[in-house]
Amino acid sequence: MIANMSKPGLNLLSRLREEHMRAPFPPHMRRREIEGEDMVLLDAEIAGCASSSLPGSLDESVNEILLGCLAAVEKVLPLIDDEGGAIEYYERLREMAALVAEIGNANAR
C-alpha cells in the first residue's frame, strides 16, 4: 500500500486504472500527434505510472515522467475531438495522472 495515500484515493486510482484497461483505445488517436504529443505514448506513459504507483511509492524518475505527462494531457485535452469517446478516455488518463501526482507529492513530504 502506498504510504500517505488515503484508502479512498487508492481505491479511486485502482478503479480508474481498471476502467482504463478495459476501455478500447480510440482508433483515430493511433499515429496521431497533438501539439507535438504522441497520443499513444501519452496513454502508455500515464497508464504505466499509475500501475507503478499501486504497489508502492514512485521513484523520482517516474514522478518526473508523470508530471510531464500530466502537463501534456492538460495541454492536449481541449484539442481532442470526441470521436470514439476520446475525450472521456483522455479525461480518465488526466484524473489518473493527477491522483498519481498526489501520491508522489504526499510521499515527498
Side-chain angles (χ1 to χ4, degrees), residues 1-58:
M1 182 181 232
I2 301 169
N4 301 320
M5 181 63 170
S6 69
K7 184 156 179 69
L10 281 172
N11 289 342
L12 177 57
L13 179 59
S14 182
R15 182 181 58 78
L16 289 169
R17 184 184 165 279
E18 287 174 23
E19 285 176 16
H20 190 73
M21 298 306 288
R22 286 192 306 266
F25 186 80
H28 74 286
M29 300 304 276
R30 287 186 178 94
R31 293 179 300 279
R32 184 160 175 209
E33 283 191 14
I34 299 176
E35 292 290 312
E37 301 295 337
D38 181 305
M39 301 309 290
V40 172
L41 184 59
L42 185 59
D43 171 44
E45 287 183 332
I46 292 174
C49 289
S51 293
S52 295
S53 71
L54 286 171
S57 63
L58 295 176

Side-chain angles (χ1 to χ4, degrees), residues 21-96:
M21 298 306 288
R22 286 192 306 266
F25 186 80
H28 74 286
M29 300 304 276
R30 287 186 178 94
R31 293 179 300 279
R32 184 160 175 209
E33 283 191 14
I34 299 176
E35 292 290 312
E37 301 295 337
D38 181 305
M39 301 309 290
V40 172
L41 184 59
L42 185 59
D43 171 44
E45 287 183 332
I46 292 174
C49 289
S51 293
S52 295
S53 71
L54 286 171
S57 63
L58 295 176
D59 66 30
E60 191 172 322
S61 64
V62 174
N63 196 48
E64 285 179 28
I65 291 167
L66 175 77
L67 293 176
C69 289
L70 183 55
V73 77
E74 290 284 349
K75 175 178 69 173
V76 301
L77 196 53
L79 305 172
I80 295 174
D81 58 49
D82 201 28
E83 181 182 332
I87 291 175
E88 180 182 351
Y89 189 90
Y90 281 92
E91 283 177 342
R92 185 176 42 248
L93 275 173
R94 177 182 59 191
E95 189 172 0
M96 287 171 34

